[in-house]
Amino acid sequence: MHAKPRPPATPEQALWAMDRLIATHLVGQHRIAQQVDLNVTDLTCFGFVIGSGDNLLTAGELAERVHVTTGAMTGILNRLERAGYITRRPDPTDRRRVRVAAQPDAVARVREIYEPHYARLTALFADYGPDEIAVLSDWFTRANALAADYLEEHGRTK
């Protein structure tokens, strides 16, 4: 597939487009969280649990990914467990640690909401050639690393 001609854009225009995309997704995350009776942090945590698949994350790993304390993560996991989204399992190699597994019916509920959006995004990606997809993937990966580093540097509570 050959890449289609794209309109020119400056870095400033691309940054503004990214800011609008992030804002739209933040609003969407709040709406989806309300639909599934969670708050955004809990929904984000559940997304990481789903994303881990069979490689179950520990509570500590989730706390790092969501940038909360382990104490706050305990509260998140309590809420997710009470709502039927997760179960906690003892770590087979260290019984002091807990691994977090998604409940299949909860995964199905959340996927039902997200899959139509992901289908649209997949269709949008189909409009781009393999080289363009590689650039997008590289940019998203590197921008995520920059954002995580910035959050680590400047997101600490004092």
Side-chain angles (χ1 to χ4, degrees):
M1 171 184 214
H2 294 288
K4 294 181 179 183
R6 306 284 175 210
T10 66
E12 292 79 16
Q13 290 168 321
L15 187 60
W16 177 240
M18 181 194 69
D19 282 346
R20 288 193 319 262
L21 173 65
I22 291 170
T24 300
H25 275 256
L26 285 171
V27 169
Q29 284 293 92
H30 280 277
R31 287 183 183 167
I32 291 168
Q34 288 174 336
Q35 286 178 352
V36 296
D37 294 323
L38 296 176
N39 66 48
V40 172
T41 303
D42 294 2
L43 178 61
T44 300
C45 183
F46 187 60
F48 283 122
V49 172
I50 291 172
S52 72
D54 293 333
N55 186 21
L56 302 182
L57 299 172
T58 66
E61 290 167 334
L62 282 168
E64 285 178 22
R65 290 183 185 192
V66 184
H67 296 273
V68 298
T69 66
T70 54
M73 181 52 61
T74 298
I76 291 168
L77 295 179
N78 287 344
R79 288 189 299 274
L80 287 171
E81 192 169 44
R82 274 194 309 271
Y85 282 84
I86 59 110
T87 58
R88 296 180 222 202
R89 298 181 184 167
D91 185 310
T93 61
D94 183 348
R95 302 296 268 178
R96 295 169 295 173
R97 289 193 310 186
V98 171
R99 298 223 172 243
V100 182
Q103 291 283 47
D105 58 326
V107 172
R109 280 194 315 268
V110 170
R111 284 203 169 130
E112 185 177 328
I113 294 170
Y114 279 99
E115 281 180 355
H117 178 59
Y118 278 47
R120 291 176 184 186
L121 289 173
T122 299
L124 179 61
F125 279 128
D127 196 40
Y128 292 84
D131 290 343
E132 291 175 308
I133 297 291
V135 169
L136 288 168
S137 181
D138 177 65
W139 193 92
F140 288 138
T141 301
R142 292 171 61 197
N144 184 61
L146 287 172
D149 288 348
Y150 185 83
L151 181 60
E152 184 62 32
E153 292 168 14
H154 299 284
R156 293 184 193 102
T157 56
K158 300 196 184 265

